[in-house]
Amino acid sequence: MELYIAEKPSVGRTIASVIGANERRDGYWEGNGRLVSWCIGHLVALAMPEAYRSDYQRWRYSDLPILPDKWQYSVVAETKKQFELLRRLMHDSRVTSLVCATDAGREGELIFRLVYAMADCRKEVRRLWISSTEESAIRQALCRMKPMRDYDNLYRAALCRAQADWLIGINATRLYSLLYGRPLPTGRVMSPALAMLVQREAAIADFQSTPFFAVKLETDPLAAKSERMDDLTEARTLLECCNQAPYAVVQKIARRQRSENPPLLYDLTTLQQDANRLFGFTAQQTLDLVQTLYEKKLLTYPRTDSQFITDDMEDTARQVISIVCRQLPLFSGVSITPDIARVTDNSKVTDHHAILPTIQLEKQDVSALPQSEQKILNLVGMRLLCATGEKHTYAETQITLSCEGYEFKTKGKTVVQNGWKAIEELFKSSLKTKEKDDPMKSLPEVHEGDVLDGVSASVTEHFTTPPKQYTEDTLLSAMETAGNDQFDDDTEKKGLGTPATRAGIIEKLVKSGFAERKGKSLIPTKDGCNLVCVLPEQITSPAMTAEWENTLMEIERGKADADAFLSGI
């Protein structure tokens, strides 16, 4: 008999249905020679310092740093009942082997391995790796299961991440809390993310706005502007000169055909960015919604950093596009000839492909879903149609006028083929808060050498603007690319955290009182600013933490040594 262990009850129930384990028991399913149970998040965690020495329960400067010689683990008290059930099932004499069916990623691997080790189980394990909870996807994955040892590097990376977070989190939190006489939670990834907020706020505070000027030239039938000028006197001199001129001449007309390629499919980070920008959802809210839709079998696996699909998914992608146009009322009647090849690249899909709607959408009454889930489905559906749509092409025209020897320029553009933008515009038209698009300005018909009468000039004053406060959209983007300039172009992994952890980092900053939300903006609190001021650069440096993340990915790929990484930590 095989024992399948999923990460959540809902996924366990789906797997049980697929493999015929249809008899409900207390905490598991049974049938067809199989048992299916589940974890509830992390059932086993790294033990706290007092497990190593009872006197560590009291925080003392003299005890630091606390560096375990041999790592210890403990069962999470809140979910101990489920752990005991899994241990009993693992040691059930009927069970001859296990299937790890936790979420297919670093954290899912760690969740299962720690339970397996804490239960002192020695039975053979195979890995079920799924990117969708649809029955067809699970059946395919059941035919592709591999021995657990094939995922040892993934486990090593996950354990290294947890141990590194423990070492820095436990020691730095105790150190700075003791030094400053108040709780100051400090983390390996949280601290550089906070530093980014603090540095941006400092740049805004230090910014001094300066004026600059331009001269606007209006003629019959065209208006154009001069280059930017920092000196008002220079602008006024040009103004007087032009106002005395009887005419302006069309000096040059440059026409260029331009195009915008469709966007790529969504990975988790880009989906979180757009959901924040368009709907005001926090990164954590978006992750929770996508996770719920995944468990409802309506979206594929959410915690992905890929924006591509694999070659063998072409037929499925075409089928899903057709379903999106039928099932999502917003896109009813849309007809496209999708270019699937554009979003297909096996080399850019590692653990999971991009986020897509599933074929199960065909059977779903979308109107019965909560509005928030409908918004995410529409967003992912829109992105799929856009990503496989045609290029957006337009003609851009730049006209240069000459007046008294000075040049004035204006630009306009005309759409040649709307392409994927037609889908995006359809989606944006459904939003209550419309996004501002670039104004589409068409220019009057003129020719080189034309003389334009009725010259009138005016000076326009402008001011330099400070950097904008971070929103979750822009902070996620900054975290994803943090430290990029410190790496070679072929570095495998860059940035702070992973797509799966960035939302949690932002939430922890807010809950710890180091950052706060004001509208869509994320700003550091006074406590957050003070903490960054006293932390060492090794902890607040985005480049340092990005380097650690890169090493974790190399451990996952078998290209770096876990012990050497932890020694560095």
Side-chain angles (χ1 to χ4, degrees):
M1 179 176 278
E2 275 188 318
L3 168 61
Y4 288 69
I5 298 179
E7 189 164 324
K8 298 177 182 68
S10 59
V11 179
R13 185 168 56 249
T14 300
I15 293 172
S17 173
V18 171
I19 63 177
N22 297 320
E23 297 173 33
R24 176 75 196 219
R25 301 285 189 259
D26 185 13
Y28 66 99
W29 293 81
E30 182 176 351
N32 198 24
R34 288 143 174 174
L35 303 175
V36 181
S37 191
W38 46 84
C39 302
I40 307 170
H42 283 272
L43 300 184
V44 177
L46 290 167
M48 297 304 287
E50 50 268 31
Y52 296 86
R53 265 177 39 191
S54 60
D55 61 337
Y56 279 158
Q57 194 156 0
R58 184 180 173 193
W59 293 19
R60 291 185 296 258
Y61 182 85
S62 58
D63 290 335
L64 302 177
I66 299 169
L67 305 173
D69 290 327
K70 183 178 180 181
W71 290 95
Q72 295 184 31
Y73 303 86
S74 62
V75 176
V76 177
E78 292 80 5
T79 51
K80 185 176 181 180
K81 180 182 176 183
Q82 189 64 19
F83 171 78
E84 294 298 341
L85 169 68
L86 289 180
R87 174 154 60 184
R88 177 169 64 81
L89 292 176
M90 286 180 179
H91 289 282
D92 189 316
S93 60
R94 297 174 299 163
V95 172
T96 55
S97 62
L98 281 72
V99 173
C100 171
T102 48
D103 284 0
R106 196 187 283 173
E107 283 309 295
E109 195 71 20
L110 185 63
I111 285 170
F112 175 85
R113 297 277 190 135
L114 293 186
V115 170
Y116 181 80
M118 183 63 89
D120 196 26
C121 186
R122 298 287 185 271
K123 294 175 182 178
E124 178 190 353
V125 184
R126 291 187 296 164
R127 186 58 155 111
L128 179 67
W129 193 269
I130 55 176
S131 291
S132 168
T133 55
E134 289 179 287
E135 288 191 10
S136 59
I138 292 173
R139 291 187 191 283
Q140 290 173 11
L142 287 167
C143 299
R144 299 194 300 263
M145 288 195 290
K146 296 179 182 178
M148 198 68 181
R149 63 178 175 273
D150 287 7
Y151 298 88
D152 284 351
N153 286 331
L154 181 64
Y155 168 59
R156 289 188 187 101
L159 192 58
C160 271
R161 195 276 309 153
Q163 291 171 346
D165 286 347
W166 192 100
L167 288 168
I168 291 176
I170 292 292
N171 286 291
T173 295
R174 288 191 175 210
L175 172 63
Y176 288 99
S177 298
L178 288 165
L179 287 176
Y180 293 95
R182 52 157 298 180
L184 290 174
T186 304
R188 181 182 63 91
V189 183
M190 185 178 81
S191 299
L194 175 60
M196 293 167 72
L197 292 178
V198 172
Q199 289 160 8
R200 174 61 58 87
E201 204 63 21
I204 293 170
D206 292 343
F207 183 82
Q208 293 186 345
S209 183
T210 57
F212 63 94
F213 311 92
V215 174
K216 182 178 180 181
L217 188 72
E218 295 184 85
T219 69
D220 184 16
L222 204 58
K225 271 191 173 183
S226 70
E227 294 293 321
R228 165 179 166 164
M229 289 174 277
D230 295 325
D231 184 1
L232 179 58
T233 303
E234 181 186 359
R236 284 174 173 165
T237 300
L238 177 55
L239 171 72
E240 292 172 9
C241 194
C242 291
N243 276 333
Q244 294 173 10
Y247 58 83
V249 177
V250 179
Q251 179 178 315
K252 184 180 179 182
I253 300 176
R255 292 187 175 90
R256 301 177 70 177
Q257 191 88 352
R258 291 187 175 273
S259 65
E260 284 184 52
N261 284 326
L264 294 174
L265 297 169
Y266 278 133
D267 61 5
L268 178 57
T269 301
T270 51
L271 176 56
Q272 286 170 318
Q273 288 176 260
D274 278 2
N276 177 251
R277 182 170 49 83
L278 297 168
F279 306 132
F281 292 164
T282 67
Q284 188 63 51
Q285 285 172 331
T286 300
L287 177 55
D288 291 344
L289 287 166
V290 182
Q291 180 70 29
T292 298
L293 289 166
Y294 167 68
E295 292 176 25
K296 289 181 177 180
K297 310 175 191 177
L298 298 175
L299 287 181
T300 58
Y301 187 73
R303 293 169 173 82
T304 177
D305 60 0
S306 177
Q307 294 185 275
F308 291 88
I309 60 174
T310 52
D311 292 341
D312 59 354
M313 294 179 65
E314 180 175 348
D315 289 343
T316 301
R318 290 186 189 281
Q319 193 174 349
V320 169
I321 288 168
S322 177
I323 293 170
V324 165
C325 293
R326 289 196 303 271
Q327 283 294 98
L328 298 183
L330 185 58
F331 306 112
S332 177
V334 169
S335 177
I336 66 169
T337 304
D339 180 6
I340 308 295
R342 202 187 154 270
V343 296
T344 302
D345 190 335
N346 287 0
S347 69
K348 292 182 180 178
V349 179
T350 50
D351 296 338
H352 298 281
H353 55 71
I355 300 172
L356 301 176
T358 67
I359 293 172
Q360 187 73 22
L361 182 62
E362 181 82 86
K363 303 173 185 176
Q364 176 66 44
D365 177 5
V366 176
S367 64
L369 296 171
Q371 282 293 318
S372 55
E373 292 178 18
Q374 290 186 46
K375 287 179 178 179
I376 294 295
L377 266 180
N378 279 328
L379 189 55
V380 176
M382 179 271 295
R383 190 61 166 240
L384 174 60
L385 298 182
C386 286
T388 56
E390 296 179 309
K391 287 182 179 180
H392 171 75
T393 58
Y394 59 94
E396 184 180 82
T397 302
Q398 178 173 280
I399 298 176
T400 304
L401 303 182
S402 175
C403 183
E404 296 297 305
Y406 293 94
E407 289 187 348
F408 300 82
K409 294 180 180 179
T410 186
K411 281 184 179 180
K413 58 183 181 181
T414 306
V415 172
V416 176
Q417 174 182 275
N418 215 3
W420 65 271
K421 286 268 188 183
I423 305 293
E424 185 182 68
E425 288 165 8
L426 179 64
F427 173 79
K428 287 182 178 179
S429 69
S430 70
L431 302 178
K432 291 181 180 178
T433 304
K434 300 286 192 299
E435 274 211 312
K436 292 181 180 178
D437 288 319
D438 291 334
M440 185 69 67
K441 183 173 70 173
S442 57
L443 299 176
E445 187 68 29
V446 293
H447 304 88
E448 288 185 4
D450 282 358
V451 174
L452 308 181
D453 297 319
V455 173
S456 172
S458 58
V459 173
T460 59
E461 184 177 19
H462 311 269
F463 292 89
T464 56
T465 56
K468 292 182 178 179
Q469 289 176 323
Y470 278 118
T471 62
E472 296 207 25
D473 167 13
T474 56
L475 182 60
L476 284 167
S477 178
M479 290 173 74
E480 187 176 38
T481 59
N484 274 13
D485 55 352
Q486 305 292 317
F487 295 97
D488 297 330
D489 289 340
D490 59 353
T491 299
E492 191 162 5
K493 184 70 179 176
K494 307 169 185 176
L496 301 182
T498 66
T501 61
R502 288 176 190 134
I505 292 162
I506 294 172
E507 289 303 313
K508 193 169 182 181
L509 285 173
V510 174
K511 288 176 182 175
S512 299
F514 295 141
E516 59 183 343
R517 293 185 173 97
K518 285 193 176 179
K520 285 190 177 182
S521 296
L522 271 174
I523 59 174
T525 61
K526 183 179 179 181
D527 286 344
C529 294
N530 289 342
L531 180 59
V532 168
C533 287
V534 300
L535 290 176
E537 186 181 356
Q538 292 99 319
I539 294 181
T540 60
S541 166
M544 172 71 76
T545 306
E547 182 181 340
W548 290 341
E549 292 293 340
N550 176 63
T551 306
L552 286 171
M553 182 59 75
E554 289 184 333
I555 292 169
E556 197 173 305
R557 302 284 179 258
K559 298 177 182 177
D561 181 68
D563 291 337
F565 169 77
L566 278 177
S567 177
I569 292 288

